[in-house]
Amino acid sequence: MHEHPPIDYEMHDKLYLTSHKLIGKTEILECYHSENERYVVRLDKTLFHPQGGGQPCDKGTLNGHEVLHVTQNRDGQVLHYLPVSLPLGPVEMKIDQMHRLAHARLHTAGHLIGHLLEQTGWQAIKAHHWPGEARLVFRQSNNALPPSLEDLSARCREQIQLAHPISIHIHQGHRQIAIGKLGQYPCGGTHVENTAELNGLTITRIKNKKDELSIHYEILD
Ligand SMILES: [Zn+2]
């Protein structure tokens, strides 16, 4: 779904790649002033998923101080932006659970729709999993026919009811996310652990233009 560079070297410091933990302890390695009265904090290990791969960043706190934004720089380092400067040394991380879950659900739903469309000959080329504007874009191959809204909705419901486990595999330095036996994608994002958590997935619009198909969706609670 989102190609990332090989990430074997990142497993040590990017805890969110292999763990669903929301609370943990780590060390602040670096803290410096940035623009807009913000401070940048770099951690030894982080639970915070940075913005990227079509997914917003995690929210949460470091020693109770709100983390305003999380990005990844060109060297692959995760940068946490805070309104205050923090001393170097031990720190407690807390991830906002509701926020993480909401984004992991939208993002994982993107994987599910991707697998279902690829079964019928469509190739996923774009994914965007922001609330209120989640969509996937597919390119046609093998004269695939566009699904109807009713048909795709029913197929999604069926896979949600089957409650497939979602698993993380590290293969040759790449992180693969598999939904049951439906398939897998290389991905660096955050996911739920079972398709049952995608209950409420609603396909809102299907647009077919030339050889491109856009699927718009949301998750209703
Ligand atoms: Zn993913």
Side-chain angles (χ1 to χ4, degrees), residues 2 107 111 177 187 189 191:
H2 320 302
H107 175 77
H111 280 241
I177 306 300
C187 187
H191 308 84

Side-chain angles (χ1 to χ4, degrees), residues 5-6 25-26 32 41 49 64 77 80 85-86 94 100-101 104 117 138 141 146 150 170 179 182 184 191 196 207:
K25 288 184 166 44
T26 187
Y32 54 89
V41 168
H49 173 261
Q77 294 173 329
H80 311 72
S85 176
L86 296 180
K94 271 192 191 157
R100 162 70 71 90
L101 182 62
L117 267 288
F138 296 84
S141 62
E150 294 70 27
I170 310 296
I179 301 188
L182 281 181
Q184 56 182 20
H191 308 84
K207 222 170 68 187

Side-chain angles (χ1 to χ4, degrees), residues 30-101:
E30 198 180 7
C31 179
Y32 54 89
H33 186 253
S34 149
E35 51 196 25
N36 303 327
E37 295 307 307
R38 288 183 177 190
Y39 294 84
V40 177
V41 168
R42 202 161 60 75
L43 302 172
D44 178 40
K45 297 167 188 282
T46 188
L47 290 170
F48 283 85
H49 173 261
Q51 182 173 315
Q55 220 181 355
C57 63
D58 276 325
K59 285 183 178 174
T61 58
L62 291 177
N63 276 356
H65 299 283
E66 189 187 357
V67 175
L68 303 170
H69 193 50
V70 189
T71 63
Q72 182 169 289
N73 68 15
R74 257 180 273 163
D75 298 327
Q77 294 173 329
V78 178
L79 306 178
H80 311 72
Y81 292 81
L82 284 91
V84 292
S85 176
L86 296 180
L88 305 190
V91 69
E92 187 178 52
M93 305 172 278
K94 271 192 191 157
I95 304 296
D96 179 325
Q97 183 176 13
M98 296 309 288
H99 183 83
R100 162 70 71 90
L101 182 62

